[in-house]
Amino acid sequence: MKKLYLLLCSLALVGCSVTPPELGISGESLKDCPATPNCINSINNGSGDIAPILFNGSRAVAKEKLLSIIHSLPRTTVVEKRDNYLRVEFRSQLFGFVDDVEFLLSQSQNNKTKIDFRSASRLGLSDLGVNKARMKKVTALFGK
């Protein structure tokens, strides 16, 4: 029992201490997901990925709405905020594992905003579908 407890504590500390990968905007897009199945994005729209969030309104209004949604979700920290970019850390409830989520907002000429996103676990190979479920929830909340 003591060994199991030590193992769980070690996992929790590792999940909290892993440094974030290189994130941010590459050219005019978010960086691609790695080959591991613990990342989802709206950029490539490949297998398993989901569409970007579309909003009929300005980038500034879309960003405020997105920030409101993010702040309503548990265990979130906005790490970086720019006019067209947000980086957020989501922590798991049990062990505090961190998922890095990025949002890139682009404005079209007809006052519509597209929000691309990338959500990836910092640790491990599988996220058991957590990132995809989170982004579906954010997308659904954004549509309300």
Side-chain angles (χ1 to χ4, degrees), residues 47-132:
S47 64
D49 293 350
I50 54 180
I53 300 168
L54 302 175
F55 177 69
N56 287 323
S58 72
R59 185 172 68 193
V61 173
K63 183 174 132 186
E64 289 307 312
K65 183 171 183 173
L66 183 58
L67 281 167
S68 175
I69 290 167
I70 289 166
H71 290 305
S72 75
L73 299 173
R75 299 173 306 282
T76 61
T77 304
V78 176
V79 176
E80 187 175 348
K81 184 172 26 170
R82 293 188 242 155
D83 286 343
N84 67 336
Y85 175 80
L86 294 173
R87 184 165 80 84
V88 183
E89 292 179 351
F90 287 81
R91 292 192 178 270
S92 67
Q93 184 173 2
L94 187 56
F95 293 115
F97 294 124
V98 178
D99 292 340
D100 294 293
V101 182
E102 300 174 282
F103 299 93
L104 180 63
L105 296 90
S106 57
Q107 182 84 47
S108 68
Q109 291 179 343
N110 56 359
N111 203 34
K112 294 186 185 221
T113 302
K114 179 174 89 165
I115 305 172
D116 280 303
F117 53 82
R118 178 186 186 276
S119 182
S121 301
R122 279 191 195 170
L123 190 64
L125 294 177
S126 175
D127 66 352
L128 303 174
V130 170
N131 285 295
K132 187 172 189 174

Side-chain angles (χ1 to χ4, degrees), residues 40-53 116-117 131-137 139:
I40 185 110
N41 72 43
S42 65
I43 308 296
N44 297 329
N45 236 354
S47 64
D49 293 350
I50 54 180
I53 300 168
D116 280 303
F117 53 82
N131 285 295
K132 187 172 189 174
R134 176 186 304 114
M135 294 318 302
K136 282 186 172 188
K137 181 176 184 173
T139 299

